[in-house]
């Protein structure tokens, strides 16, 4: 007999939440990695879309040793580190309460009956009984996680917990939803992940975009510092495309924002920026692979970053390449649609700079209002099947 957690005609598993993860062993670090031992980590996951059941995806992708999950629970978050106790459910893995994830491996929980809707804030609690080593993590999600000693996975709250600005070991939540639910993947850098927006307010550009949609939703695979062509921070876009976009269950569209870090990040290491030809070639290969997979691609123009406060990021060569690539993005027929982020947030008096009232404070990222304008630059008609 089928249960409510099994797909039946008319419903299927799709991505309800995603978060891009990186290795803690990279040379360039925007947020310090960490590990755990005999600790509970409680993490808030805001659902992009909902369904009548869910399953959780965990990853030890970049771990160097097996990862033991001693207990895992999922609940609706009440506030801060507190859960709604009557929604609290144990997660199992092939029927077991514990799971060991091999180095480089992943684990998917058994489905649980916990109906969720778009905007539901879930609290995922993981008990990590042994020394983990440095954790596979999402390094700048603009969401607080909570770490406390011992197995407190079933505790209504975590008084005295450490507050950590990162996510650990989780890559997504799938939901059981009606067939034909359109899932778009925001595949890019910090302008999707949310750097510059107010932490713990869900004011990322992808959150604002989801608020505009009345059908389907967008899951967020942005990684702050990520590049189109070169590894660090995170695997480059062409390397992670299959895993983080094309294989996302239910995906129909891919939105891309890349280029700022290809042009600016090398300056922090004394390297020359990518050329405009390099980026155009990379975007071309990216679009070809998305189309080959049968999905549509929506490309953003590269946002302004001349005001970046970080030494070496803003260079005349990098800014000139940005202008050339943006001219190409606006005129090529390679993409199914273009959303002109650069024009939406640039300073009209000096378009290489972010408009002052939209600047997140470092000349390189958008504040909450800027994130909303990024979302509004997407024509919703281009997200229909």
């Amino acid at each position: 007999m089928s249960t409510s957690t099994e797909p039946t005609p008319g419903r299927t598993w799709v991505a309800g939440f995603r978060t891009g993860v990186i290795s803690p062993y990279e040379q360039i670090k925007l947020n310090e990695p960490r590990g755990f031992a005999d600790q509970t980590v409680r993490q808030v996951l805001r659902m992009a879309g909902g369904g009548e059941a869910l399953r959780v995806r965990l990853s030890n992708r970049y771990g160097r040793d097996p990862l033991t999950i001693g207990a895992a629970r999922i609940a609706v978050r009440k506030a801060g580190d507190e859960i709604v106790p009557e929604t609290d459910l144990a997660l199992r893995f092939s029927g077991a309460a514990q799971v060991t994830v091999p180095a480089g491996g992943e684990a998917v929980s058994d489905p649980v009956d916990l109906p969720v809707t778009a905007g539901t804030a879930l609290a995922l609690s993981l008990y990590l009984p042994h020394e983990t080593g440095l954790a596979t993590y999402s390094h700048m999600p603009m969401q607080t996680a909570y770490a406390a000693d011992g197995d407190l996975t079933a505790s209504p709250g975590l008084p005295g917990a450490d507050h950590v600005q990162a996510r650990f070991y989780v890559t997504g939540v799938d939901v059981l939803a009606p067939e034909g639910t359109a899932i778009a993947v925001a595949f890019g850098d910090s302008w999707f992940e949310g750097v510059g927006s107010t932490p713990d307010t869900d004011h990322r550009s992808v959150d604002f975009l989801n608020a505009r949609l009345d059908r389907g939703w967008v899951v967020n695979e942005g990684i702050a510092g990520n590049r189109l062509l070169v590894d660090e921070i995170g695997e480059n876009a062409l390397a992670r495309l299959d895993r983080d976009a094309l294989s996302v269950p239910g995906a129909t569209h891919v939105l891309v924002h890349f280029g700022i870090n290809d042009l600016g990040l090398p300056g922090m290491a004394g390297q020359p920026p990518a050329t405009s030809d390099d980026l155009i070639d990379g975007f071309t290969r990216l679009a070809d692979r998305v189309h080959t997979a049968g999905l549509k691609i929506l490309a953003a123009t590269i946002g302004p970053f001349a005001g970046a406060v970080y030494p070496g990021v803003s260079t005349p060569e990098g800014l000139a390449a940005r202008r050339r690539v943006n001219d190409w993005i606006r005129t090529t027929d390679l993409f199914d649609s273009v959303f002109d982020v650069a024009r939406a947030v640039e300073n009209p008096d000096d378009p290489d700079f972010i408009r002052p009232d939209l600047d997140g404070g470092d000349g390189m990222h958008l504040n909450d209002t800027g994130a909303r304008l990024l979302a509004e630059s997407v024509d919703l008609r281009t997200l229909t099947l």
Side-chain angles (χ1 to χ4, degrees):
M1 178 181 293
S2 66
T3 69
S4 60
T5 58
E6 295 176 343
T8 59
R11 61 183 190 169
T12 188
W13 289 106
V14 300
F17 168 84
R18 285 295 185 273
T19 184
V21 295
I22 68 169
S23 168
Y25 298 102
E26 295 185 351
Q27 297 279 328
I28 302 174
K29 294 179 175 65
L30 303 184
N31 195 356
E32 284 301 313
R34 61 169 292 171
F36 304 91
D38 188 25
Q39 289 177 291
T40 294
V41 182
R42 181 166 289 171
Q43 309 180 74
V44 179
L45 314 177
R46 185 181 192 271
M47 300 299 292
E52 55 194 273
L54 60 84
R55 61 190 185 190
V56 176
R57 294 178 174 269
L58 302 178
S59 177
N60 191 25
R61 183 178 302 153
Y62 302 110
R64 294 181 174 177
D65 298 295
L67 169 70
T68 298
I69 307 289
R73 302 185 73 89
I74 193 80
V76 175
R77 194 271 295 260
K78 181 179 180 181
D81 57 28
E82 297 181 326
I83 63 171
V84 179
E86 56 267 28
T87 67
D88 185 36
L89 294 170
L91 293 176
R92 293 186 174 272
F93 301 84
S94 299
Q98 298 189 17
V99 64
T100 297
V101 188
E106 301 188 346
V108 181
S109 76
D110 301 338
V112 294
D113 281 310
L114 182 58
V116 292
T117 60
T120 297
L122 295 176
L124 171 67
S125 300
L126 304 176
Y127 174 54
L128 306 165
H130 309 310
E131 177 64 48
T132 64
L134 294 179
T136 295
Y137 71 137
S138 302
H139 68 146
M140 302 194 78
M142 312 313 292
Q143 185 74 60
T144 301
Y146 307 92
D149 292 340
D151 182 359
L152 300 179
T153 52
S155 175
L158 300 180
D162 291 338
H163 291 198
V164 188
Q165 294 298 316
R167 289 195 191 103
F168 304 94
Y169 299 121
V170 59
T171 57
V173 179
D174 296 339
V175 294
L176 199 54
E179 287 185 355
T181 300
I183 308 299
V185 180
F187 182 66
D189 53 28
S190 56
W191 285 40
F192 284 156
E193 188 169 25
V195 177
S197 67
T198 304
D200 299 317
T201 62
D202 301 316
H203 284 171
R204 310 167 195 86
S205 60
V206 178
D207 299 322
F208 285 116
L209 180 54
N210 273 322
R212 299 180 61 210
L213 296 172
D214 56 12
R215 61 178 300 273
W217 55 81
V218 185
V219 294
N220 194 341
E221 290 275 17
I223 295 177
N226 200 218
R227 290 186 269 184
L228 177 64
L229 303 172
V230 182
D231 291 347
E232 290 201 5
I233 297 163
E235 296 173 53
N236 70 79
L238 292 166
R240 72 182 183 99
L241 176 65
D242 287 343
R243 182 187 64 234
D244 289 351
L246 304 185
S247 64
V248 169
T252 57
H253 298 70
V254 179
L255 293 81
V256 297
H257 182 278
F258 288 104
I260 291 177
N261 299 309
D262 292 84
L263 296 171
L265 198 60
M268 298 176 69
Q271 302 165 347
T275 68
S276 56
D277 287 343
D278 291 337
L279 286 172
I280 289 170
D281 176 69
F283 279 122
T284 300
R285 287 187 283 151
L286 192 74
D288 287 345
R289 286 173 56 191
V290 172
H291 285 146
T292 298
L295 280 62
K296 294 184 178 180
I297 182 169
L298 288 64
T301 48
I302 303 171
F305 61 94
V309 299
Y310 312 107
V313 168
S314 175
T315 65
E317 297 82 7
L319 295 172
R322 182 187 83 94
R323 292 190 292 270
R324 289 192 293 271
V325 174
N326 280 350
D327 288 343
W328 172 79
I329 290 173
R330 292 179 180 120
T331 56
T332 183
D333 60 1
L334 184 66
F335 306 111
D336 296 285
S337 178
V338 169
F339 51 112
D340 202 340
V341 173
R343 292 239 168 97
V345 303
E346 68 190 16
N347 184 342
D349 297 326
D350 196 340
D352 282 332
F353 289 78
I354 296 172
R355 208 172 81 195
D357 61 316
L358 307 179
D359 192 335
D362 64 357
M364 192 174 177
H365 294 100
L366 302 174
N367 62 18
D368 295 358
T369 304
R372 178 176 56 78
L373 291 182
L374 187 162
E376 291 177 356
S377 71
V378 179
D379 183 346
L380 297 188
R381 293 171 297 181
T382 64
L383 286 176
T384 59
L385 290 173

